[in-house]
């Protein structure tokens, strides 16, 4: 037991001031696992190369002492992840409310606009930029 404890202490000392696992690391591990499972079926070199690259990247980031740079990479990953999550959420709302509302964008500022689903031509004023434009809806 004391051998395990000393091993644990030594590893913990080794990992001090190193990056370890962050959300980008977890994502890399997840993609790596998926590729490994797929490659278990297909035994393809096309899958093996990205699999090895991901493994290398994961361990490089895990043991890296340049934590400032790793944190910056993780923050960039976080931004991309949030953008993706927001777009999925927006897509789900549009899918859910597609029978109740028209969804479109302001031609000037690209703001998302939603209006009750009616047939005809309407004068629409963007709430963000104040631009007024016409929009026709058919059944
Ligand atoms: Zn606008």
């Amino acid at each position: 037991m004391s051998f395990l404890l000393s091993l644990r202490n030594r590893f913990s000392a080794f990992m001090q001031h190193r990056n370890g696992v962050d959300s980008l690391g977890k994502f890399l591990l997840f993609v790596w696992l998926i590729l490994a499972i797929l490659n278990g079926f297909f035994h393809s070199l096309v899958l093996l190369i990205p699999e090895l690259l991901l493994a290398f990247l994961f361990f490089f980031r895990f043991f890296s002492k340049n934590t400032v740079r790793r944190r910056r990479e993780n923050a960039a990953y976080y931004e991309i992840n949030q953008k993706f999550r927001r777009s999925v959420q927006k897509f789900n709302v549009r899918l859910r409310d597609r029978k109740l509302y028209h969804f479109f964008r302001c031609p000037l500022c690209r703001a998302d606009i939603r209006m009750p689903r009616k047939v005809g031509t309407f004068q629409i004023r963007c709430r963000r930029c104040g631009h007024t434009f016409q929009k026709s809806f058919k059944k």
Side-chain angles (χ1 to χ4, degrees):
M1 200 65 190
S2 72
F3 170 73
L4 283 179
L5 264 176
S6 105
L7 201 67
R8 189 182 140 208
N9 287 341
R10 265 198 258 163
F11 183 71
S12 156
F14 174 74
M15 282 307 289
Q16 233 173 16
H17 309 294
R18 289 179 195 269
N19 190 50
V21 181
D22 52 12
S23 13
L24 177 55
K26 285 178 192 167
F27 175 73
L28 291 174
L29 264 183
F30 177 72
V31 176
W32 180 27
L33 184 73
I34 296 220
L35 284 179
I37 290 170
L38 282 176
N39 210 10
F41 290 110
F42 299 114
H43 303 288
S44 154
L45 192 69
V46 178
L47 288 174
L48 185 68
I49 291 168
E51 197 184 318
L52 291 175
L53 282 174
L54 280 174
F56 172 77
L57 199 61
F58 171 78
F59 284 112
F60 172 77
R61 293 190 79 256
F62 185 80
F63 293 117
S64 172
K65 283 187 170 179
N66 191 351
T67 52
V68 174
R69 194 158 185 170
R70 300 294 86 82
R71 264 187 228 140
R72 221 179 290 146
E73 290 165 2
N74 196 45
Y77 163 75
Y78 183 78
E79 281 300 313
I80 293 169
N81 190 13
Q82 287 302 305
K83 245 183 214 173
F84 177 72
R85 281 169 185 256
R86 276 194 295 270
S87 68
V88 167
Q89 197 176 14
K90 203 160 88 178
F91 176 79
N92 284 337
V93 166
R94 283 179 174 207
L95 196 67
R96 186 193 66 202
D97 295 344
R98 70 187 183 282
K99 288 183 178 164
L100 301 171
Y101 298 100
H102 291 290
F103 293 94
F104 50 94
R105 288 192 158 171
C106 169
L108 203 66
C109 72
R110 311 282 298 149
D112 290 312
I113 300 175
R114 180 186 80 164
M115 73 170 269
R117 190 168 271 280
K118 293 177 194 165
V119 176
T121 302
F122 299 93
Q123 193 85 358
I124 295 157
R125 187 173 172 277
C126 174
R127 283 187 185 176
R128 191 200 278 172
C129 69
H131 177 62
T132 309
F133 58 99
Q134 276 200 341
K135 192 106 180 143
S136 298
F137 300 103
K138 296 171 196 155
K139 191 152 195 264

